């Protein structure tokens, strides 16, 4: 069994998930500077193109080759523009488990891309990589991210109290830390049974107006 993620591309009806490349630098920097991304992630603010270049050329390749995780650009099939990121981290190859997170660019919200990308990644992990567990952690107030977890079939396992640091802006424009809870979700191979059909029955991948 491998202990390193392959350099792969995952396709859905509307999306292509692939490795980040240097052409993504401007779009990645713009996405990471979004208010909602700043609120729910730990990326430095403001986020520069130099930081995006380091992520793409150094951090992401190292994480993949070391077997710790995988960073995938979420792109539209028709336009090829970057619309989001799916990340795998804290991978345990003995247990065959990993932690998934996702974010969608402000110019692509409301299309259901987070659900579509996360579901495609989960199917690939379970079917091709023989994983047995995917874990998600969502901030207690990040309802949009929680809706995505529910949409793809995740089961809520409990709350890690006071374990998350979110961020909010002060009146003078500074970012300050705010402690909150993490909701822990899990997804097992059997949880995906019928998920695709359920999404189709609701008219496609339901969109959310907030960060997801």
């Amino acid at each position: 069994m491998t202990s390193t993620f392959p350099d792969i591309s995952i396709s859905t009806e509307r999306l292509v998930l692939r490795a980040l490349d240097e052409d993504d630098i401007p779009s990645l920097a713009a996405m990471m500077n979004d208010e909602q991304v700043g609120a729910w992630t730990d990326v430095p603010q403001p986020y520069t193109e130099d930081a995006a270049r380091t992520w793409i050329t150094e951090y992401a390749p190292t994480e993949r080759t070391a077997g710790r995780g995988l960073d995938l650009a979420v792109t539209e099939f028709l336009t090829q523009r970057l619309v989001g990121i799916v990340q795998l981290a804290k991978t345990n190859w003995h247990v065959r488990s990993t932690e998934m997170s996702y974010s969608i660019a402000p110019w692509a919200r409301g299309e259901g891309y987070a659900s579509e990308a996360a579901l495609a990644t989960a199917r690939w992990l379970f079917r091709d990589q023989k994983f047995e567990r995917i874990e998600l952690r969502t901030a207690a107030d990040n309802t949009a991210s929680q809706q995505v977890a529910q949409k793809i079939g995740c089961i809520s396992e409990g709350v890690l109290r006071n374990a998350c640091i979110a961020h909010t802006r002060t009146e003078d424009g500074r970012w300050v830390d705010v402690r909150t809870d993490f909701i822990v979700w899990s997804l097992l191979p059997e949880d995906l049974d019928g998920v695709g059909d359920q999404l189709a029955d609701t008219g496609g991948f339901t969109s959310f107006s907030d960060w997801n």
Side-chain angles (χ1 to χ4, degrees):
M1 283 289 187
T2 181
S3 59
T4 303
F5 288 113
D7 184 5
I8 51 88
S9 175
I10 303 170
S11 297
T12 72
E13 183 178 349
R14 301 184 298 168
L15 302 172
V16 176
L17 283 65
R18 55 159 176 80
L20 289 157
D21 62 42
E22 292 191 57
D23 290 340
D24 298 319
I25 288 172
S27 296
L28 181 61
M31 182 174 71
M32 292 296 105
N33 278 309
D34 175 66
E35 289 286 311
Q36 292 297 318
V37 175
W40 299 120
T41 74
D42 282 328
V43 297
Q45 297 292 328
Y47 195 83
T48 66
E49 289 197 1
D50 284 341
R53 182 175 290 103
T54 299
W55 181 354
I56 291 169
T57 63
E58 298 178 22
Y59 175 78
T62 298
E63 289 296 288
R64 185 184 72 81
T65 56
R68 290 189 292 265
L70 183 66
D71 294 56
L72 294 171
V74 180
T75 64
E76 286 180 328
F77 176 75
L78 293 178
T79 66
Q80 299 184 18
R81 68 172 179 167
L82 182 74
V83 295
I85 297 289
V86 170
Q87 287 186 280
L88 306 178
K90 302 177 183 176
T91 305
N92 185 321
W93 290 95
H94 177 66
V95 179
R96 308 300 288 190
S97 69
T98 192
E99 184 175 320
M100 179 192 293
S101 60
Y102 37 78
S103 59
I104 296 298
W107 54 84
R109 293 181 188 139
E111 301 294 336
Y113 286 159
S115 302
E116 188 167 344
L119 182 59
T121 304
R123 284 173 169 163
W124 172 74
L125 283 168
F126 291 146
R127 295 174 184 177
D128 294 0
Q129 298 299 299
K130 309 304 180 186
F131 270 60
E132 296 293 338
R133 174 183 169 88
I134 299 171
E135 185 173 304
L136 289 78
R137 298 186 179 194
T138 63
D141 295 327
N142 192 351
T143 55
S145 188
Q146 293 161 27
Q147 287 174 311
V148 173
Q150 292 174 321
K151 195 73 175 176
I152 67 172
C154 292
I155 303 299
S156 176
E157 293 187 332
V159 176
L160 298 177
R161 297 185 302 160
N162 219 28
C164 174
I165 297 180
H167 311 91
T168 188
R169 276 197 188 274
T170 61
E171 291 184 359
D172 61 5
R174 293 181 299 109
W175 285 102
V176 295
D177 294 347
V178 178
R179 296 202 71 95
T180 185
D181 299 338
F182 260 139
I183 300 176
V184 180
W185 308 79
S186 67
L187 189 67
L188 306 184
E190 57 266 30
D191 296 331
L192 290 185
D193 293 343
V195 169
D197 296 335
Q198 292 170 13
L199 288 170
D201 290 342
T202 61
F205 291 86
T206 300
S207 61
F208 307 107
S209 58
D210 297 325
W211 177 83
N212 56 57

